[in-house]
């Protein structure tokens, strides 16, 4: 058991001294999900008083659009007597609260709903329990425990928080980036021996010396697991996150604390560590499981195609005093210089389903 007075940084430094440098993926995993000191195991990181704000916290209309999307999918699936709705990393429960207010207007959906939440933060789980009590949610730690009914999965800003491995090109070979110690301080370094090039992937075959291959292996593996579970049941997975449409060289690791960038190595467990999501890799995992992966769209296009502009206009007409704040929220969610272009939306669905918001 760790000593009560030791910080996560102390524990990481001890491990490095005993076992040598650790991979960046191992470091990220410890920072985010250490059982007692990990970032996602404590406190509420959301909102103005936290470290970042997600789309559901910007406007209720974000969740409402997701709710309309779920209801449409439920109808396409033939109004099953039971279906499972799973959200990965549900935050404060805001997205689902807004979404289900809309979705449960669909005939039979409320009666068929089996709500599951995948959450590791006890503080957030308590908020979810209060906000979503009307829908009798269950919390799961293992997605393999899901039942056999049709499955709809929502993952909003989830995959960006899974650990990545980084490899740096040096003299035509790939070396994995690691976290070690120099003069008592945590520093980034490289593995002493090169990594087998064939395992890096063809997408990085033309990379130049000095370029970085950032590989979200954890995200790809979890996506594959989810899609293999979904395929025989029927349904769809919706992933919304900031990232890039095609696999490409580059490093995107960032740390945020109180809405400002900080050094990722400075205070393990005290800052949110994220990377941009490789949507091409997620899509590949979905296709390998036998699902149809629909063309990736931007968040702005997805939300407006579902009727976000019309919803904001209606709200502004009914609440003139809120017109300015509604316009600001709409711009944050859809603007090209805000979340609208940087955030992408991917859907992997059972063949035959036509999820709303995606090109036919």
């Amino acid at each position: 058991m760790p000593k009560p007075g030791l910080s996560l940084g102390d524990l990481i430094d001890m491990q490095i001294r005993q076992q040598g440098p650790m991979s960046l993926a191992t470091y990220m995993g410890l920072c985010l999900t250490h059982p007692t000191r990990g970032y996602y195991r404590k406190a509420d990181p959301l909102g103005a008083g936290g470290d970042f704000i997600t789309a559901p916290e910007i406007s209720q209309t974000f969740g409402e659009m997701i709710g309309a999307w779920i209801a449409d999918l439920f109808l396409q699936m033939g109004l099953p007597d039971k279906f499972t709705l799973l959200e990965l990393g549900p935050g404060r429960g805001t997205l689902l609260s807004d979404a289900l207010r809309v979705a449960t207007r669909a005939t039979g959906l409320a009666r068929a709903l089996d709500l599951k939440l995948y959450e590791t933060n006890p503080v957030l789980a308590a908020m979810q329990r209060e906000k979503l009590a009307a829908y009798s949610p269950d919390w799961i730690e293992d997605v393999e425990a899901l039942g056999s009914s049709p499955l709809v999965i929502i993952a909003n800003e989830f995959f960006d928080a899974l650990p990545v491995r980084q490899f740096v090109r040096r003299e035509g070979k790939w070396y994995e980036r690691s976290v070690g110690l120099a003069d008592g301080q945590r520093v980034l370094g490289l593995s002493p021996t090169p990594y087998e090039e064939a395992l890096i992937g063809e997408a990085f075959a033309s990379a130049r010396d000095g370029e970085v291959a950032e590989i979200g292996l954890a995200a790809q593996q979890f996506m594959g697991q989810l899609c293999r579970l979904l395929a025989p049941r029927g349904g769809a997975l919706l992933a919304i996150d900031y990232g890039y449409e095609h696999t490409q060289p580059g490093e995107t690791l960032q740390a945020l604390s109180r809405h400002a960038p900080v050094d990722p190595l400075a205070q393990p467990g005290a800052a949110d560590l994220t990377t941009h999501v490789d949507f091409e890799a997620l899509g590949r995992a979905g296709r390998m499981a036998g699902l149809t992966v629909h063309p990736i769209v931007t968040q702005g296009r997805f939300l407006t195609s579902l009727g976000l502009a019309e919803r904001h206009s209606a709200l502004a007409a009914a609440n003139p005093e809120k017109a300015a704040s509604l316009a600001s929220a709409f711009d944050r969610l859809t603007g090209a210089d805000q979340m609208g272009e940087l955030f992408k939306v991917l859907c992997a669905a059972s063949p035959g389903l036509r999820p709303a918001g995606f090109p036919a």
Side-chain angles (χ1 to χ4, degrees):
M1 292 289 292
K3 295 180 180 178
L6 294 177
S7 68
L8 180 57
D10 294 329
L11 297 175
I12 288 174
D13 293 349
M14 287 172 58
Q15 183 171 328
I16 293 173
R17 290 190 182 98
Q18 293 170 2
Q19 303 175 17
M22 63 178 62
S23 71
L24 181 64
T26 299
Y27 174 79
M28 286 185 67
L30 289 170
C31 288
L32 296 175
T33 59
H34 182 277
T36 58
R37 294 166 172 78
Y39 180 79
Y40 286 120
R41 300 289 189 181
K42 58 187 182 184
D44 174 12
L46 299 165
D51 298 320
F52 56 90
I53 295 178
T54 60
E57 305 294 334
I58 292 172
S59 172
Q60 70 182 55
T61 58
F62 180 85
E64 290 173 349
M65 295 302 103
I66 304 300
W69 185 88
I70 293 169
D72 179 71
L73 201 65
F74 177 73
L75 295 174
Q76 288 190 48
M77 291 190 298
L79 287 72
D81 292 334
K82 182 178 180 181
F83 86 104
T84 298
L85 176 61
L86 167 67
E87 186 177 6
L88 306 175
R92 294 171 171 171
T94 305
L95 187 156
L96 280 179
S97 176
D98 294 330
L100 290 173
R101 186 174 61 251
V102 171
T104 51
R105 296 174 186 171
T107 302
L109 192 147
R111 183 175 61 254
L113 177 65
D114 178 24
L115 184 59
K116 304 292 186 184
L117 306 177
Y118 185 83
E119 180 60 69
T120 61
N121 185 320
V123 176
L124 293 178
M127 295 181 180
Q128 296 156 17
R129 184 172 289 104
E130 180 178 353
K131 191 165 290 187
L132 299 170
Y135 307 104
S136 303
D138 292 318
W139 284 260
I140 62 169
E141 297 181 357
D142 181 5
V143 294
E144 296 290 342
L146 292 170
S148 58
S149 58
L151 177 62
V152 177
I153 303 172
I154 306 297
N156 181 59
E157 291 198 53
F158 175 81
F159 286 105
D160 65 283
L162 298 183
V164 301
R165 299 177 71 177
Q166 287 183 349
F167 299 87
V168 182
R169 189 83 162 175
R170 288 282 188 271
E171 297 180 354
K173 296 182 179 180
W174 291 103
Y175 295 84
E176 184 164 13
R177 185 165 277 170
S178 58
V179 177
L181 293 172
D183 298 324
Q185 301 296 313
R186 286 179 291 279
V187 296
L188 292 174
L190 297 177
S191 59
T193 56
Y195 199 75
E196 188 173 339
E197 186 158 0
L199 299 177
I200 299 296
E202 294 182 4
F204 305 105
S206 59
R208 300 183 297 271
D209 272 14
E211 288 193 306
V212 176
E214 188 173 81
I215 301 176
L217 189 60
Q220 294 172 36
Q221 290 175 337
F222 196 45
M223 178 71 172
Q225 181 184 16
L226 292 167
C227 290
R228 287 190 297 273
L229 288 170
L230 195 157
R233 293 166 169 81
L237 181 152
L238 185 73
I240 307 173
D241 229 311
Y242 52 90
Y244 41 92
E245 191 170 340
H246 300 291
T247 304
Q248 59 194 26
E251 52 184 314
T252 65
L253 176 65
Q254 62 179 358
L256 282 179
S257 179
R258 296 293 184 263
H259 304 273
V262 295
D263 180 355
L265 302 182
Q267 291 184 298
D272 184 30
L273 301 184
T274 63
T275 58
H276 288 206
V277 173
D278 181 351
F279 279 93
E280 182 177 359
L282 293 188
R284 186 164 56 247
R287 282 188 290 271
M288 289 178 65
L291 300 179
T292 298
V293 177
H294 295 265
I296 296 165
V297 297
T298 64
Q299 177 174 292
R301 179 177 177 180
F302 177 71
L303 293 174
T304 53
S305 70
L306 292 175
L308 186 72
E310 293 79 2
R311 177 59 174 153
H312 273 251
S313 294
L315 286 172
N319 305 275
E321 73 283 1
K322 297 181 179 179
S325 62
L326 284 165
S328 175
F330 181 83
D331 186 53
R332 288 189 68 180
L333 293 173
T334 65
D337 59 342
Q338 302 269 346
M339 300 175 75
E341 294 291 330
L342 176 59
F343 278 68
K344 309 294 191 301
V345 188
L346 175 148
C347 181
S350 300
L353 293 179
R354 299 181 63 179
F358 296 88

